[in-house]
Amino acid sequence: MQVKGESLQDEFTSWIDDIPTCRLSGIGTATNVLYRRDGTRAQRHSFQNRSFRIQQEDYQLGIYGVFQGFSGHRVADFVSKCIPGELILGQLTADKSDEEVKEVLRQAFINVDKAYFKSIDDILAKRSVLQSEGKPKSVEAEERIVQSAGGIVAVILNNRLFIASIGDCAALLCRDHEVIPLCCNHTTDNEDEILRLCHLGVDVELGQLYPQLGDARLTRCFGNYFVKSGYKENSLVSSAIQEPVIPEPEIFGPITLDNDVCILLLYTKSLVKAFREATSVINAEAELVQHTKHYMCKEASLSGVAQAVVDQVVRLHHDRLEVTGGQAVNLEDMTLLVRDLRGFRRKDSRLAASTLTGSSARPTMQSSTTTDSSEVDNTGKELPVDENGRITPYVDFAPFWRLWGQRKVSENSITSLEKS
């Protein structure tokens, strides 16, 4: 069932397509996979994640978002198209105070959630009519109104970083010698969220599975009628004194982007979950950063970097599955957004490749005509690069051409003498 005015074309186009994309960022994705016991693979559902990366130089503003959809893609799609409109049309300018920026972010999340439910008013109205007449519910309508999404948005404004999130998407800020997690999982594994629900009159316990909240057990999200205005129909949260699941984000910042900060990663929880399952590493987030640094000195673009990291996680997960016997298991949709905060990718990531084993390296073609800056600069001296990260000319050929000219003059003189 489509929202009034919605078409197939609307799902693949957006007004933000005409807004300048941030060239210092890239996005990688992987579609969900079901591994069958016979070794074959199948896609369980359509891709449900969405993302954006926008830069407005006039406002010294960059905004980046990653959204993971649940039970469908429509909420994530709606939010990814509407959030930018709440942030880039003059709401955020360089003179805004820290508190003003946070309030704009908070209102953006709340306003977009309200707008989503307004967009499905006709579905909810038809559902109410069917209920009042005692008629069977529409399966399509029930599937539509249960859809939800979690998301994370990063705002870089005048060298200040703010992170706003709901659900279980996450962010990592990488300094030269430190990895800083910037996230707060809004699930039933979060003690503060459990306490908040208990104060509203909901009987829940930490770490328990509650299918009434949806597959992801989100306590904050976009969409999902049955935990918002329709919560009285939900057996788990019907006793709440107000809507138990909220769209209000957790906000981190401001963080000053000084010279020590080099990379920002935004990603869906499914990415780290798959990486942890594939490698059994203790600190999957730190390893994810190392893989990103590794590919930063291998790939030609940041989208190539992000995609290489995601592909590597998928491959490691599949290899682990093959080794352990090929039991039926699945991977969820994954998204990774990489933002280079320095602008000199090759220089900053030169040493990263040595931290990874050969099994984690992505095969790359070697060229006999080009040389990477990490191969040339083996003296520890920093070579100058242009705005595209290419090494600027630094060899003076004047002596060569001078000697070449002298030789040609001598040869011409000898030729003239021989002829005479």
Side-chain angles (χ1 to χ4, degrees), residues 45-65:
H45 52 73
S46 61
F47 188 67
Q48 297 178 167
N49 293 356
R50 297 293 187 270
S51 56
F52 60 75
R53 49 193 181 102
I54 295 171
Q55 189 170 32
Q56 282 194 314
E57 295 182 1
D58 293 343
Y59 293 118
Q60 302 178 54
L61 172 67
I63 64 169
Y64 312 85

mmCIF file with all atom_site columns, all heavy atoms in Angstrom, residues 45-65:
data_model
loop_
_atom_site.group_PDB
_atom_site.id
_atom_site.type_symbol
_atom_site.label_atom_id
_atom_site.label_alt_id
_atom_site.label_comp_id
_atom_site.label_asym_id
_atom_site.label_entity_id
_atom_site.label_seq_id
_atom_site.pdbx_PDB_ins_code
_atom_site.Cartn_x
_atom_site.Cartn_y
_atom_site.Cartn_z
_atom_site.occupancy
_atom_site.B_iso_or_equiv
_atom_site.pdbx_formal_charge
_atom_site.auth_seq_id
_atom_site.auth_comp_id
_atom_site.auth_asym_id
_atom_site.auth_atom_id
_atom_site.pdbx_PDB_model_num
ATOM 1   N N   . HIS A 1 45 ? 15.028 -9.922 2.162  1.00 0.00 ? 45 HIS A N   1
ATOM 2   C CA  . HIS A 1 45 ? 14.111 -8.802 1.921  1.00 0.00 ? 45 HIS A CA  1
ATOM 3   C C   . HIS A 1 45 ? 14.865 -7.716 1.171  1.00 0.00 ? 45 HIS A C   1
ATOM 4   O O   . HIS A 1 45 ? 16.093 -7.783 1.001  1.00 0.00 ? 45 HIS A O   1
ATOM 5   C CB  . HIS A 1 45 ? 13.550 -8.268 3.245  1.00 0.00 ? 45 HIS A CB  1
ATOM 6   C CG  . HIS A 1 45 ? 14.613 -7.944 4.266  1.00 0.00 ? 45 HIS A CG  1
ATOM 7   N ND1 . HIS A 1 45 ? 15.452 -6.847 4.160  1.00 0.00 ? 45 HIS A ND1 1
ATOM 8   C CD2 . HIS A 1 45 ? 14.984 -8.584 5.405  1.00 0.00 ? 45 HIS A CD2 1
ATOM 9   C CE1 . HIS A 1 45 ? 16.277 -6.814 5.189  1.00 0.00 ? 45 HIS A CE1 1
ATOM 10  N NE2 . HIS A 1 45 ? 16.031 -7.858 5.965  1.00 0.00 ? 45 HIS A NE2 1
ATOM 11  N N   . SER A 1 46 ? 14.144 -6.711 0.709  1.00 0.00 ? 46 SER A N   1
ATOM 12  C CA  . SER A 1 46 ? 14.779 -5.609 -0.006 1.00 0.00 ? 46 SER A CA  1
ATOM 13  C C   . SER A 1 46 ? 15.686 -4.826 0.947  1.00 0.00 ? 46 SER A C   1
ATOM 14  O O   . SER A 1 46 ? 15.532 -4.895 2.174  1.00 0.00 ? 46 SER A O   1
ATOM 15  C CB  . SER A 1 46 ? 13.717 -4.669 -0.597 1.00 0.00 ? 46 SER A CB  1
ATOM 16  O OG  . SER A 1 46 ? 12.927 -4.110 0.442  1.00 0.00 ? 46 SER A OG  1
ATOM 17  N N   . PHE A 1 47 ? 16.617 -4.094 0.385  1.00 0.00 ? 47 PHE A N   1
ATOM 18  C CA  . PHE A 1 47 ? 17.556 -3.315 1.193  1.00 0.00 ? 47 PHE A CA  1
ATOM 19  C C   . PHE A 1 47 ? 16.795 -2.257 1.975  1.00 0.00 ? 47 PHE A C   1
ATOM 20  O O   . PHE A 1 47 ? 16.039 -1.469 1.407  1.00 0.00 ? 47 PHE A O   1
ATOM 21  C CB  . PHE A 1 47 ? 18.599 -2.668 0.281  1.00 0.00 ? 47 PHE A CB  1
ATOM 22  C CG  . PHE A 1 47 ? 19.718 -1.992 1.005  1.00 0.00 ? 47 PHE A CG  1
ATOM 23  C CD1 . PHE A 1 47 ? 20.627 -2.721 1.741  1.00 0.00 ? 47 PHE A CD1 1
ATOM 24  C CD2 . PHE A 1 47 ? 19.858 -0.614 0.940  1.00 0.00 ? 47 PHE A CD2 1
ATOM 25  C CE1 . PHE A 1 47 ? 21.682 -2.098 2.399  1.00 0.00 ? 47 PHE A CE1 1
ATOM 26  C CE2 . PHE A 1 47 ? 20.899 0.023  1.590  1.00 0.00 ? 47 PHE A CE2 1
ATOM 27  C CZ  . PHE A 1 47 ? 21.821 -0.720 2.327  1.00 0.00 ? 47 PHE A CZ  1
ATOM 28  N N   . GLN A 1 48 ? 17.005 -2.201 3.305  1.00 0.00 ? 48 GLN A N   1
ATOM 29  C CA  . GLN A 1 48 ? 16.197 -1.338 4.164  1.00 0.00 ? 48 GLN A CA  1
ATOM 30  C C   . GLN A 1 48 ? 16.959 -0.158 4.752  1.00 0.00 ? 48 GLN A C   1
ATOM 31  O O   . GLN A 1 48 ? 16.366 0.656  5.471  1.00 0.00 ? 48 GLN A O   1
ATOM 32  C CB  . GLN A 1 48 ? 15.590 -2.181 5.305  1.00 0.00 ? 48 GLN A CB  1
ATOM 33  C CG  . GLN A 1 48 ? 14.643 -3.247 4.812  1.00 0.00 ? 48 GLN A CG  1
ATOM 34  C CD  . GLN A 1 48 ? 14.067 -4.117 5.924  1.00 0.00 ? 48 GLN A CD  1
ATOM 35  O OE1 . GLN A 1 48 ? 13.108 -4.860 5.722  1.00 0.00 ? 48 GLN A OE1 1
ATOM 36  N NE2 . GLN A 1 48 ? 14.650 -4.045 7.104  1.00 0.00 ? 48 GLN A NE2 1
ATOM 37  N N   . ASN A 1 49 ? 18.238 -0.044 4.485  1.00 0.00 ? 49 ASN A N   1
ATOM 38  C CA  . ASN A 1 49 ? 19.027 1.060  5.031  1.00 0.00 ? 49 ASN A CA  1
ATOM 39  C C   . ASN A 1 49 ? 19.029 2.253  4.080  1.00 0.00 ? 49 ASN A C   1
ATOM 40  O O   . ASN A 1 49 ? 18.876 2.105  2.872  1.00 0.00 ? 49 ASN A O   1
ATOM 41  C CB  . ASN A 1 49 ? 20.463 0.623  5.281  1.00 0.00 ? 49 ASN A CB  1
ATOM 42  C CG  . ASN A 1 49 ? 20.579 -0.403 6.392  1.00 0.00 ? 49 ASN A CG  1
ATOM 43  O OD1 . ASN A 1 49 ? 19.600 -0.741 7.042  1.00 0.00 ? 49 ASN A OD1 1
ATOM 44  N ND2 . ASN A 1 49 ? 21.777 -0.920 6.598  1.00 0.00 ? 49 ASN A ND2 1
ATOM 45  N N   . ARG A 1 50 ? 19.244 3.430  4.648  1.00 0.00 ? 50 ARG A N   1
ATOM 46  C CA  . ARG A 1 50 ? 19.368 4.652  3.860  1.00 0.00 ? 50 ARG A CA  1
ATOM 47  C C   . ARG A 1 50 ? 20.464 5.522  4.469  1.00 0.00 ? 50 ARG A C   1
ATOM 48  O O   . ARG A 1 50 ? 20.819 5.361  5.647  1.00 0.00 ? 50 ARG A O   1
ATOM 49  C CB  . ARG A 1 50 ? 18.047 5.439  3.825  1.00 0.00 ? 50 ARG A CB  1
ATOM 50  C CG  . ARG A 1 50 ? 16.892 4.694  3.152  1.00 0.00 ? 50 ARG A CG  1
ATOM 51  C CD  . ARG A 1 50 ? 17.131 4.494  1.675  1.00 0.00 ? 50 ARG A CD  1
ATOM 52  N NE  . ARG A 1 50 ? 15.989 3.929  0.995  1.00 0.00 ? 50 ARG A NE  1
ATOM 53  C CZ  . ARG A 1 50 ? 15.776 2.626  0.829  1.00 0.00 ? 50 ARG A CZ  1
ATOM 54  N NH1 . ARG A 1 50 ? 16.657 1.746  1.312  1.00 0.00 ? 50 ARG A NH1 1
ATOM 55  N NH2 . ARG A 1 50 ? 14.712 2.190  0.180  1.00 0.00 ? 50 ARG A NH2 1
ATOM 56  N N   . SER A 1 51 ? 20.988 6.458  3.683  1.00 0.00 ? 51 SER A N   1
ATOM 57  C CA  . SER A 1 51 ? 22.058 7.322  4.179  1.00 0.00 ? 51 SER A CA  1
ATOM 58  C C   . SER A 1 51 ? 22.143 8.584  3.330  1.00 0.00 ? 51 SER A C   1
ATOM 59  O O   . SER A 1 51 ? 21.571 8.648  2.237  1.00 0.00 ? 51 SER A O   1
ATOM 60  C CB  . SER A 1 51 ? 23.398 6.576  4.159  1.00 0.00 ? 51 SER A CB  1
ATOM 61  O OG  . SER A 1 51 ? 23.678 6.093  2.855  1.00 0.00 ? 51 SER A OG  1
ATOM 62  N N   . PHE A 1 52 ? 22.841 9.581  3.834  1.00 0.00 ? 52 PHE A N   1
ATOM 63  C CA  . PHE A 1 52 ? 23.125 10.783 3.052  1.00 0.00 ? 52 PHE A CA  1
ATOM 64  C C   . PHE A 1 52 ? 24.424 11.403 3.557  1.00 0.00 ? 52 PHE A C   1
ATOM 65  O O   . PHE A 1 52 ? 24.871 11.159 4.675  1.00 0.00 ? 52 PHE A O   1
ATOM 66  C CB  . PHE A 1 52 ? 21.983 11.808 3.112  1.00 0.00 ? 52 PHE A CB  1
ATOM 67  C CG  . PHE A 1 52 ? 21.656 12.304 4.500  1.00 0.00 ? 52 PHE A CG  1
ATOM 68  C CD1 . PHE A 1 52 ? 22.476 13.212 5.145  1.00 0.00 ? 52 PHE A CD1 1
ATOM 69  C CD2 . PHE A 1 52 ? 20.508 11.878 5.147  1.00 0.00 ? 52 PHE A CD2 1
ATOM 70  C CE1 . PHE A 1 52 ? 22.167 13.677 6.421  1.00 0.00 ? 52 PHE A CE1 1
ATOM 71  C CE2 . PHE A 1 52 ? 20.188 12.332 6.422  1.00 0.00 ? 52 PHE A CE2 1
ATOM 72  C CZ  . PHE A 1 52 ? 21.023 13.235 7.059  1.00 0.00 ? 52 PHE A CZ  1
ATOM 73  N N   . ARG A 1 53 ? 25.047 12.220 2.716  1.00 0.00 ? 53 ARG A N   1
ATOM 74  C CA  . ARG A 1 53 ? 26.274 12.952 3.068  1.00 0.00 ? 53 ARG A CA  1
ATOM 75  C C   . ARG A 1 53 ? 26.263 14.255 2.276  1.00 0.00 ? 53 ARG A C   1
ATOM 76  O O   . ARG A 1 53 ? 26.410 14.276 1.067  1.00 0.00 ? 53 ARG A O   1
ATOM 77  C CB  . ARG A 1 53 ? 27.522 12.126 2.759  1.00 0.00 ? 53 ARG A CB  1
ATOM 78  C CG  . ARG A 1 53 ? 27.551 11.517 1.365  1.00 0.00 ? 53 ARG A CG  1
ATOM 79  C CD  . ARG A 1 53 ? 28.648 10.471 1.231  1.00 0.00 ? 53 ARG A CD  1
ATOM 80  N NE  . ARG A 1 53 ? 28.679 9.913  -0.116 1.00 0.00 ? 53 ARG A NE  1
ATOM 81  C CZ  . ARG A 1 53 ? 29.550 10.252 -1.054 1.00 0.00 ? 53 ARG A CZ  1
ATOM 82  N NH1 . ARG A 1 53 ? 30.479 11.164 -0.788 1.00 0.00 ? 53 ARG A NH1 1
ATOM 83  N NH2 . ARG A 1 53 ? 29.519 9.699  -2.248 1.00 0.00 ? 53 ARG A NH2 1
ATOM 84  N N   . ILE A 1 54 ? 26.036 15.337 2.975  1.00 0.00 ? 54 ILE A N   1
ATOM 85  C CA  . ILE A 1 54 ? 25.786 16.634 2.344  1.00 0.00 ? 54 ILE A CA  1
ATOM 86  C C   . ILE A 1 54 ? 26.739 17.674 2.918  1.00 0.00 ? 54 ILE A C   1
ATOM 87  O O   . ILE A 1 54 ? 27.035 17.675 4.113  1.00 0.00 ? 54 ILE A O   1
ATOM 88  C CB  . ILE A 1 54 ? 24.328 17.073 2.584  1.00 0.00 ? 54 ILE A CB  1
ATOM 89  C CG1 . ILE A 1 54 ? 23.362 16.101 1.879  1.00 0.00 ? 54 ILE A CG1 1
ATOM 90  C CG2 . ILE A 1 54 ? 24.094 18.490 2.111  1.00 0.00 ? 54 ILE A CG2 1
ATOM 91  C CD1 . ILE A 1 54 ? 21.924 16.336 2.241  1.00 0.00 ? 54 ILE A CD1 1
ATOM 92  N N   . GLN A 1 55 ? 27.201 18.565 2.062  1.00 0.00 ? 55 GLN A N   1
ATOM 93  C CA  . GLN A 1 55 ? 28.067 19.644 2.508  1.00 0.00 ? 55 GLN A CA  1
ATOM 94  C C   . GLN A 1 55 ? 27.599 20.967 1.930  1.00 0.00 ? 55 GLN A C   1
ATOM 95  O O   . GLN A 1 55 ? 27.280 21.058 0.743  1.00 0.00 ? 55 GLN A O   1
ATOM 96  C CB  . GLN A 1 55 ? 29.512 19.373 2.088  1.00 0.00 ? 55 GLN A CB  1
ATOM 97  C CG  . GLN A 1 55 ? 30.513 20.345 2.695  1.00 0.00 ? 55 GLN A CG  1
ATOM 98  C CD  . GLN A 1 55 ? 31.945 19.913 2.450  1.00 0.00 ? 55 GLN A CD  1
ATOM 99  O OE1 . GLN A 1 55 ? 32.247 19.310 1.433  1.00 0.00 ? 55 GLN A OE1 1
ATOM 100 N NE2 . GLN A 1 55 ? 32.823 20.215 3.375  1.00 0.00 ? 55 GLN A NE2 1
ATOM 101 N N   . GLN A 1 56 ? 27.518 21.986 2.798  1.00 0.00 ? 56 GLN A N   1
ATOM 102 C CA  . GLN A 1 56 ? 27.192 23.347 2.359  1.00 0.00 ? 56 GLN A CA  1
ATOM 103 C C   . GLN A 1 56 ? 28.320 24.271 2.807  1.00 0.00 ? 56 GLN A C   1
ATOM 104 O O   . GLN A 1 56 ? 28.390 24.676 3.970  1.00 0.00 ? 56 GLN A O   1
ATOM 105 C CB  . GLN A 1 56 ? 25.860 23.797 2.950  1.00 0.00 ? 56 GLN A CB  1
ATOM 106 C CG  . GLN A 1 56 ? 24.646 23.225 2.240  1.00 0.00 ? 56 GLN A CG  1
ATOM 107 C CD  . GLN A 1 56 ? 23.379 23.948 2.632  1.00 0.00 ? 56 GLN A CD  1
ATOM 108 O OE1 . GLN A 1 56 ? 23.135 24.193 3.800  1.00 0.00 ? 56 GLN A OE1 1
ATOM 109 N NE2 . GLN A 1 56 ? 22.566 24.298 1.648  1.00 0.00 ? 56 GLN A NE2 1
ATOM 110 N N   . GLU A 1 57 ? 29.202 24.579 1.887  1.00 0.00 ? 57 GLU A N   1
ATOM 111 C CA  . GLU A 1 57 ? 30.374 25.375 2.225  1.00 0.00 ? 57 GLU A CA  1
ATOM 112 C C   . GLU A 1 57 ? 30.001 26.787 2.663  1.00 0.00 ? 57 GLU A C   1
ATOM 113 O O   . GLU A 1 57 ? 30.708 27.397 3.467  1.00 0.00 ? 57 GLU A O   1
ATOM 114 C CB  . GLU A 1 57 ? 31.331 25.407 1.035  1.00 0.00 ? 57 GLU A CB  1
ATOM 115 C CG  . GLU A 1 57 ? 31.907 24.034 0.689  1.00 0.00 ? 57 GLU A CG  1
ATOM 116 C CD  . GLU A 1 57 ? 32.888 24.094 -0.461 1.00 0.00 ? 57 GLU A CD  1
ATOM 117 O OE1 . GLU A 1 57 ? 33.122 25.214 -0.965 1.00 0.00 ? 57 GLU A OE1 1
ATOM 118 O OE2 . GLU A 1 57 ? 33.414 23.040 -0.842 1.00 0.00 ? 57 GLU A OE2 1
ATOM 119 N N   . ASP A 1 58 ? 28.904 27.313 2.137  1.00 0.00 ? 58 ASP A N   1
ATOM 120 C CA  . ASP A 1 58 ? 28.495 28.680 2.502  1.00 0.00 ? 58 ASP A CA  1
ATOM 121 C C   . ASP A 1 58 ? 28.209 28.795 3.994  1.00 0.00 ? 58 ASP A C   1
ATOM 122 O O   . ASP A 1 58 ? 28.422 29.849 4.597  1.00 0.00 ? 58 ASP A O   1
ATOM 123 C CB  . ASP A 1 58 ? 27.244 29.092 1.719  1.00 0.00 ? 58 ASP A CB  1
ATOM 124 C CG  . ASP A 1 58 ? 27.522 29.244 0.233  1.00 0.00 ? 58 ASP A CG  1
ATOM 125 O OD1 . ASP A 1 58 ? 28.714 29.340 -0.124 1.00 0.00 ? 58 ASP A OD1 1
ATOM 126 O OD2 . ASP A 1 58 ? 26.562 29.262 -0.554 1.00 0.00 ? 58 ASP A OD2 1
ATOM 127 N N   . TYR A 1 59 ? 27.703 27.719 4.595  1.00 0.00 ? 59 TYR A N   1
ATOM 128 C CA  . TYR A 1 59 ? 27.376 27.720 6.020  1.00 0.00 ? 59 TYR A CA  1
ATOM 129 C C   . TYR A 1 59 ? 28.452 27.024 6.865  1.00 0.00 ? 59 TYR A C   1
ATOM 130 O O   . TYR A 1 59 ? 28.263 26.836 8.060  1.00 0.00 ? 59 TYR A O   1
ATOM 131 C CB  . TYR A 1 59 ? 26.037 27.020 6.259  1.00 0.00 ? 59 TYR A CB  1
ATOM 132 C CG  . TYR A 1 59 ? 24.844 27.746 5.696  1.00 0.00 ? 59 TYR A CG  1
ATOM 133 C CD1 . TYR A 1 59 ? 24.061 27.163 4.706  1.00 0.00 ? 59 TYR A CD1 1
ATOM 134 C CD2 . TYR A 1 59 ? 24.509 29.010 6.147  1.00 0.00 ? 59 TYR A CD2 1
ATOM 135 C CE1 . TYR A 1 59 ? 22.951 27.824 4.180  1.00 0.00 ? 59 TYR A CE1 1
ATOM 136 C CE2 . TYR A 1 59 ? 23.402 29.680 5.626  1.00 0.00 ? 59 TYR A CE2 1
ATOM 137 C CZ  . TYR A 1 59 ? 22.632 29.084 4.645  1.00 0.00 ? 59 TYR A CZ  1
ATOM 138 O OH  . TYR A 1 59 ? 21.544 29.735 4.126  1.00 0.00 ? 59 TYR A OH  1
ATOM 139 N N   . GLN A 1 60 ? 29.562 26.608 6.232  1.00 0.00 ? 60 GLN A N   1
ATOM 140 C CA  . GLN A 1 60 ? 30.588 25.816 6.918  1.00 0.00 ? 60 GLN A CA  1
ATOM 141 C C   . GLN A 1 60 ? 29.937 24.600 7.585  1.00 0.00 ? 60 GLN A C   1
ATOM 142 O O   . GLN A 1 60 ? 30.218 24.265 8.726  1.00 0.00 ? 60 GLN A O   1
ATOM 143 C CB  . GLN A 1 60 ? 31.321 26.661 7.960  1.00 0.00 ? 60 GLN A CB  1
ATOM 144 C CG  . GLN A 1 60 ? 32.005 27.903 7.390  1.00 0.00 ? 60 GLN A CG  1
ATOM 145 C CD  . GLN A 1 60 ? 32.682 28.722 8.461  1.00 0.00 ? 60 GLN A CD  1
ATOM 146 O OE1 . GLN A 1 60 ? 33.489 28.207 9.224  1.00 0.00 ? 60 GLN A OE1 1
ATOM 147 N NE2 . GLN A 1 60 ? 32.362 30.004 8.528  1.00 0.00 ? 60 GLN A NE2 1
ATOM 148 N N   . LEU A 1 61 ? 29.058 23.946 6.816  1.00 0.00 ? 61 LEU A N   1
ATOM 149 C CA  . LEU A 1 61 ? 28.200 22.900 7.371  1.00 0.00 ? 61 LEU A CA  1
ATOM 150 C C   . LEU A 1 61 ? 28.305 21.612 6.572  1.00 0.00 ? 61 LEU A C   1
ATOM 151 O O   . LEU A 1 61 ? 28.305 21.615 5.343  1.00 0.00 ? 61 LEU A O   1
ATOM 152 C CB  . LEU A 1 61 ? 26.742 23.389 7.348  1.00 0.00 ? 61 LEU A CB  1
ATOM 153 C CG  . LEU A 1 61 ? 25.646 22.371 7.706  1.00 0.00 ? 61 LEU A CG  1
ATOM 154 C CD1 . LEU A 1 61 ? 25.752 21.975 9.171  1.00 0.00 ? 61 LEU A CD1 1
ATOM 155 C CD2 . LEU A 1 61 ? 24.263 22.961 7.404  1.00 0.00 ? 61 LEU A CD2 1
ATOM 156 N N   . GLY A 1 62 ? 28.415 20.519 7.285  1.00 0.00 ? 62 GLY A N   1
ATOM 157 C CA  . GLY A 1 62 ? 28.328 19.196 6.682  1.00 0.00 ? 62 GLY A CA  1
ATOM 158 C C   . GLY A 1 62 ? 27.420 18.331 7.534  1.00 0.00 ? 62 GLY A C   1
ATOM 159 O O   . GLY A 1 62 ? 27.507 18.363 8.769  1.00 0.00 ? 62 GLY A O   1
ATOM 160 N N   . ILE A 1 63 ? 26.499 17.607 6.910  1.00 0.00 ? 63 ILE A N   1
ATOM 161 C CA  . ILE A 1 63 ? 25.640 16.698 7.670  1.00 0.00 ? 63 ILE A CA  1
ATOM 162 C C   . ILE A 1 63 ? 25.691 15.313 7.030  1.00 0.00 ? 63 ILE A C   1
ATOM 163 O O   . ILE A 1 63 ? 25.753 15.175 5.814  1.00 0.00 ? 63 ILE A O   1
ATOM 164 C CB  . ILE A 1 63 ? 24.177 17.196 7.772  1.00 0.00 ? 63 ILE A CB  1
ATOM 165 C CG1 . ILE A 1 63 ? 23.522 17.258 6.392  1.00 0.00 ? 63 ILE A CG1 1
ATOM 166 C CG2 . ILE A 1 63 ? 24.095 18.544 8.453  1.00 0.00 ? 63 ILE A CG2 1
ATOM 167 C CD1 . ILE A 1 63 ? 22.025 17.477 6.463  1.00 0.00 ? 63 ILE A CD1 1
ATOM 168 N N   . TYR A 1 64 ? 25.664 14.302 7.884  1.00 0.00 ? 64 TYR A N   1
ATOM 169 C CA  . TYR A 1 64 ? 25.835 12.921 7.457  1.00 0.00 ? 64 TYR A CA  1
ATOM 170 C C   . TYR A 1 64 ? 24.857 12.064 8.258  1.00 0.00 ? 64 TYR A C   1
ATOM 171 O O   . TYR A 1 64 ? 24.694 12.259 9.464  1.00 0.00 ? 64 TYR A O   1
ATOM 172 C CB  . TYR A 1 64 ? 27.275 12.465 7.716  1.00 0.00 ? 64 TYR A CB  1
ATOM 173 C CG  . TYR A 1 64 ? 28.296 13.469 7.222  1.00 0.00 ? 64 TYR A CG  1
ATOM 174 C CD1 . TYR A 1 64 ? 28.679 14.550 8.026  1.00 0.00 ? 64 TYR A CD1 1
ATOM 175 C CD2 . TYR A 1 64 ? 28.823 13.375 5.945  1.00 0.00 ? 64 TYR A CD2 1
ATOM 176 C CE1 . TYR A 1 64 ? 29.576 15.498 7.563  1.00 0.00 ? 64 TYR A CE1 1
ATOM 177 C CE2 . TYR A 1 64 ? 29.718 14.320 5.476  1.00 0.00 ? 64 TYR A CE2 1
ATOM 178 C CZ  . TYR A 1 64 ? 30.093 15.388 6.290  1.00 0.00 ? 64 TYR A CZ  1
ATOM 179 O OH  . TYR A 1 64 ? 30.966 16.332 5.823  1.00 0.00 ? 64 TYR A OH  1
ATOM 180 N N   . GLY A 1 65 ? 24.206 11.131 7.584  1.00 0.00 ? 65 GLY A N   1
ATOM 181 C CA  . GLY A 1 65 ? 23.226 10.308 8.274  1.00 0.00 ? 65 GLY A CA  1
ATOM 182 C C   . GLY A 1 65 ? 23.241 8.867  7.807  1.00 0.00 ? 65 GLY A C   1
ATOM 183 O O   . GLY A 1 65 ? 23.444 8.591  6.620  1.00 0.00 ? 65 GLY A O   1
#
